[in-house]
Structure formats: structure tokens, C-alpha cells
Amino acid sequence: GEDVEQSLFLSVREGDSSVINCTYTDSSSTYLYWYKQEPGAGLQLLTYIFSNMDMKQDQRLTVLLNKKDKHLSLRIADTQTGDSAIYFCAESTSFQKLVFGTGTRLLVSP
Amino acid sequence: ETGVTQTPRHLVMGMTNKKSLKCEQHLGHNAMYWYKQSAKKPLELMFVYNFKEQTENNSVPSRFSPECPNSSHLFLHLHTLQPEDSALYLCASSQDRGKLNGYTFGSGTRLTVV
């Protein structure tokens, strides 16, 4: 079945880099996504990567995709306190729906 | 605002009450979704509507009843809920199942059942 797994919690200091990891199971996924959820809000699409790409960079965000290992990561450079949130990865499956991970809570301390 | 509006933002209801959650989008999307987000649990997909037709019901109890009168509006009718139904209910919409641009989410309705 479809399954997307993430570690539950990550704590970093302001100015450091954060790396949030995700593993997925559907090898036919064509798009993989990263969403951010701030307290009291819905999920906001941060970035996505097409499955034939290895890397995508967008300002402070770098997405790495290892399709062989079905591993996706999101690196946030120069992490700020405003980056504190829950980050969800999601895959677009062969059944044409998005399957979300459990979410990783990122805590950035000053 | 993301383009998907949910009302109310907060709702407290008794177990015998009947209430409805509303979701509205004017993004021109053709698919709409209800998700349940509970503490320490993954996002649970409840219902999917595509061009007003329900295409997925993930074994949701009948005390949750969705309604999609048109592609822009989605409701979730609630009756005789249980305390364990307390959660954040998120609505989302997408174009063409969201493959390219993902889903656009509303801010959610925080539901408390007492």
C-alpha cells in the first residue's frame, strides 16, 4: 500500500541548516511535494519535484530526491524562527491522489 | 488567504447537535477534498469530489455526510458526533487531481465535541 514516513520532530538553532527526511513507497509517484503548516493554519505548498529530477533549489530550500531508495529530503538553509512549523511530504500516487506523511515538527530556537 | 475559505474557524458542539462545515473555492478547481487532522496522527483523507461527484469515501462513519452542490462549494454535515471526532477538519481543492500543482488547503475548522 501507499505509505509515507517522516521523523516526528527536529530541533535546530537559528542560522543552522535543517534537513527534513521522508521515505515513500509508491515507485510510480510522478510528483513529490513539501507542505508547511503553521499553527492554526492549513497546509501551504512550499515546493515540489518531478520524479525525473534529482534536485531542485528554490531560494533557501533545496529538495533532494533519491528515487532508487525512495527518499526525499528538504533542506532549509539559514533556518529562521519563522520556519518553525510542521512540514509534510506528499507523493502523487498511481491512483492519482496525494498521500501525506505524518509531518515533522521543526522547532527553531534563537 | 489561500483561495480556499473554510467556515467556521472554530466550532464547539454537543454530541446531539447537528452542524455543518463549509468550504468554498474560486480557483476554478474541479476537485475538492475533506481531510481530518488529529493530534499525533497522519492526515486522514475522508472524501474526494471530482466535478461534483463523490469519487472516494475512506470508510468514514455515516455521522459525517458530505455535500458538493457545485465545483466551488463543499459541505460536511455533522450529527451525533463523538468526542474522538474532535480534530482540525481541512478542506482542499485541486485541478486535475492535483498532480502538477498539488492541493490548495483552507485554514481548517477546529472542531471540539463535548
Side-chain angles (χ1 to χ4, degrees):
Chain A
E2 308 137 357
D3 197 15
V4 180
E5 294 191 358
Q6 302 177 237
S7 52
L8 289 179
F9 191 74
L10 176 66
S11 179
V12 300
R13 301 183 78 106
E14 195 172 21
D16 289 349
S17 292
S18 306
V19 180
I20 302 171
N21 295 301
C22 169
T23 56
Y24 61 96
T25 55
D26 190 337
S27 57
S28 64
S29 291
T30 50
Y31 290 92
L32 296 123
Y33 309 84
W34 283 104
Y35 283 82
K36 177 184 180 183
Q37 185 180 30
E38 296 184 4
L43 278 68
Q44 173 196 359
L45 181 63
L46 278 181
T47 186
Y48 65 88
I49 188 167
F50 189 48
S51 60
N52 68 353
M53 299 168 66
D54 297 325
M55 185 180 88
K56 180 179 179 181
Q57 187 151 0
D58 184 0
Q59 298 182 335
R60 291 191 297 122
L61 304 179
T62 302
V63 179
L64 294 177
L65 175 61
N66 181 329
K67 203 172 177 185
K68 174 176 166 288
D69 294 338
K70 300 193 194 72
H71 182 266
L72 182 74
S73 68
L74 174 70
R75 179 176 179 270
I76 305 173
D78 187 27
T79 314
Q80 304 297 306
T81 54
D83 295 324
S84 293
I86 302 175
Y87 290 81
F88 292 89
C89 71
E91 60 170 343
S92 174
T93 71
S94 53
F95 295 100
Q96 296 190 318
K97 65 179 183 181
L98 265 63
V99 176
F100 289 87
T102 50
T104 299
R105 184 178 295 275
L106 174 65
L107 178 63
V108 183
S109 53
Chain B
E1 284 296 331
T2 63
V4 177
T5 303
Q6 288 188 245
T7 54
R9 291 297 306 273
H10 301 273
L11 178 63
V12 179
M13 61 185 287
M15 289 189 282
T16 57
N17 291 158
K18 286 185 182 181
K19 296 285 184 184
S20 296
L21 310 185
K22 180 182 176 182
C23 177
E24 186 173 354
Q25 61 91 6
H26 294 289
L27 300 169
H29 290 169
N30 52 275
M32 296 187 80
Y33 311 81
W34 279 118
Y35 279 87
K36 177 183 178 183
Q37 186 178 29
S38 307
K40 299 178 182 176
K41 278 189 174 182
L43 276 172
E44 298 174 61
L45 178 63
M46 299 175 74
F47 301 104
V48 180
Y49 278 82
N50 199 29
F51 291 104
K52 303 189 301 178
E53 299 298 319
Q54 185 175 310
T55 56
E56 191 155 343
N57 175 343
N58 273 350
S59 303
V60 180
S62 60
R63 58 185 184 269
F64 295 92
S65 174
E67 179 191 1
C68 188
N70 54 61
S71 293
S72 299
H73 293 86
L74 185 64
F75 296 89
L76 188 62
H77 304 299
L78 315 171
H79 65 97
T80 57
L81 294 193
Q82 305 298 311
E84 60 264 28
D85 297 322
S86 298
L88 181 68
Y89 288 85
L90 292 165
C91 172
S93 70
S94 72
Q95 187 62 32
D96 298 328
R97 304 292 187 110
K99 271 189 109 55
L100 177 59
N101 294 316
Y103 297 174
T104 302
F105 281 83
S107 299
T109 295
R110 173 70 61 187
L111 173 67
T112 303
V113 181
V114 297

